[in-house]
Amino acid sequence: MIINSLKRIVPLFCLAATSFVVAQPATLIKNNNPKFVETSQTNRLEGFALMSYIVDKQGKVTDIDYLLTSNVKPFEDKAATQLQNFIYSPAIQNDEIVSSSRVFLMSENIGFVGYRNDSVSSGFYRRFANIYKNLHNTQFDLETKLTSLYEANTKNTAEQALYYFLEMNIAQTKNEQSRYEEALFRTYTLKRFLPQEFQFPVSQAYIQQYIYLGDYLGALRVLRETKKNPKLNIKQEVIEKAYADILAQLDSQPTTSRPYEFSRISTRLIGLAKREVVFEVTEGAVEKSQLRCDYRIESVEANKPIHINDKDGICQLLVKTNGSARITIKESGHTAPLFKI
């Protein structure tokens, strides 16, 4: 079963059933943003924005959607401006220029003359350590302490990452699934700002969350990113075992039906692991729904079938809602192109 699944993984340069498909992804060739200049200002506030966007046939960035943004400091407009200053060579599929999908994390890291700003303050660390050691102390007011930490000390991205790490653990302790999912998403997005000893457990938790949601493509993406992190030094056999386990779970389910809630998170990029896909809106309204693949961009509608081909590359479904909503994604058929590990 696992061997058969592995045979269905389609690389970007691959032999399809009918013809030789040559694909070249969009490549960044120029960054027109001005170089960063250090400052002596005392404001430590930093922001970030995780964005899904399209590189069009002219190599320009279009259709920017925010998957996650900083709560500490609004950063959307500045991040979009910086992203639009990127110039790409567009993607090519079968000698044809095509639009393609990308995801990028833009973060603002302020440099200061005379000292570093990439570590947490002593005040933050004391409060963080106190909360962390009392996570399971029922007599300890976790929520009040967490709010105080956020308001008094949380400023730069390193502190934001640790704050979300605490919130993730508190939500898990209280079995608050929606809150846990968002806090885990934020923690994983800022994982490179976390202490090294927290990075692997957070990656493990995110893989488990994706499997819980039934998003096997998402789980494989996190596994691939974990393997690429040289600081973690994960053994190859561990990666291969996890990879095979995820594929086996996917292979054991010829059809899947998975619900998604949109409340704390209003825009999602959902991995698609099978070739036949349809989604329905069971509550609320969807503002935007779009198939975003390595080599295909297409607006899609609820209750209408979507078919994924080998030449499309890896595909995800972008869904943006108006307020609270609920959708169900149904997948069936053979395995779609997946990440290689």
Side-chain angles (χ1 to χ4, degrees), residues 11 22 41 48 98 103 110 116 119 126 162-163 171 175 200 218 279 299 324:
V22 179
Q41 65 183 3
F48 68 89
V98 296
V103 175
I110 303 171
R116 294 169 60 85
S119 59
R126 285 195 300 271
L162 284 167
Y163 169 83
N175 198 28
F200 184 61
F279 76 96
S299 294
S324 297

Side-chain angles (χ1 to χ4, degrees), residues 50 103-105 185 187-192 199-200 202-204 206-207 210 217-234 239 243 316 339-341:
L50 181 66
V103 175
F104 191 80
L105 173 65
F185 186 13
T187 307
Y188 182 79
T189 299
L190 298 177
K191 63 184 179 301
R192 69 184 179 91
Q199 292 184 23
F200 184 61
V202 168
S203 295
Q204 281 185 309
Y206 207 35
I207 290 173
Y210 269 129
L217 184 67
L220 290 174
R221 176 180 61 79
V222 176
L223 184 62
R224 183 185 66 168
E225 292 173 354
T226 302
K227 177 189 176 183
K228 287 183 177 180
N229 189 337
K231 294 181 180 179
L232 297 182
N233 195 28
I234 308 299
I239 296 293
Y243 185 57
Q316 299 175 91
F339 290 112
K340 292 186 70 179
I341 300 296

